[in-house]
Amino acid sequence: MLEMTREAFEELVSDALDRIPPELARVMDNVAVFVEDEPPADDPELLGLYEGTPLTDRGEWYAGVLPDRISVYMGPTLRYCETPEDVVHEVAVTVVHEIAHHFGIEDDRLHELGWG
């Protein structure tokens, strides 16, 4: 398993967020991104998770709710990757993948687009 400090991993997540095109970043709404050490026990290989209501499913009822949550999991990412360059790439893919869920894009379509 690769070694990396939490601060360095968080910086990679921040860098990936900074690469989101400004026109998309502007329309992201009520979503927070977190780095977590490990995913839920029932899915130990999960690299990221989006929890919330996608923008495409929000209606007039959507008000006063807690932010959607994107989690990027450090442990499985470091176990999955072989080199520091792999970590940079995988974090970027994971961040884009989870943000795409915020925009209502499903896993099947993300895999077709190469963001699976």
Side-chain angles (χ1 to χ4, degrees), residues 24-31 53 55 58 62 67-68 102-103:
L24 290 179
R26 276 193 296 274
V27 295
M28 289 176 63
D29 182 46
N30 201 31
V31 61
T53 303
L55 294 175
R58 296 179 185 180
Y62 188 86
D68 293 0
H102 176 67
F103 284 101

Side-chain angles (χ1 to χ4, degrees), residues 99-114:
I99 288 173
H101 286 318
H102 176 67
F103 284 101
I105 302 171
E106 299 292 330
D107 279 330
D108 290 345
R109 181 66 179 138
L110 288 168
H111 285 279
E112 289 173 11
L113 296 171

Side-chain angles (χ1 to χ4, degrees), residues 4-15 74 87:
M4 181 177 284
T5 66
R6 184 177 181 96
E7 293 79 21
F9 192 85
E10 288 174 349
E11 186 66 30
L12 293 179
V13 171
S14 179
D15 291 347
M74 184 173 161
V87 177

Side-chain angles (χ1 to χ4, degrees), residues 19-104:
R19 288 191 295 265
I20 300 298
E23 58 273 13
L24 290 179
R26 276 193 296 274
V27 295
M28 289 176 63
D29 182 46
N30 201 31
V31 61
V33 179
F34 298 91
V35 170
E36 302 288 343
D37 291 330
E38 294 294 334
D42 63 336
D43 200 353
E45 295 180 9
L46 191 64
L47 303 183
L49 179 65
Y50 170 76
E51 299 170 286
T53 303
L55 294 175
T56 54
D57 293 344
R58 296 179 185 180
E60 294 177 18
W61 60 268
Y62 188 86
V65 299
L66 292 173
D68 293 0
R69 180 181 181 97
I70 291 173
S71 299
V72 181
Y73 299 110
M74 184 173 161
T77 302
L78 295 179
R79 288 189 294 274
Y80 176 76
C81 295
E82 295 180 9
T83 67
E85 294 78 20
D86 290 344
V87 177
V88 171
H89 173 76
E90 198 56 51
V91 166
V93 168
T94 300
V95 167
V96 168
H97 182 103
E98 301 311 329
I99 288 173
H101 286 318
H102 176 67
F103 284 101

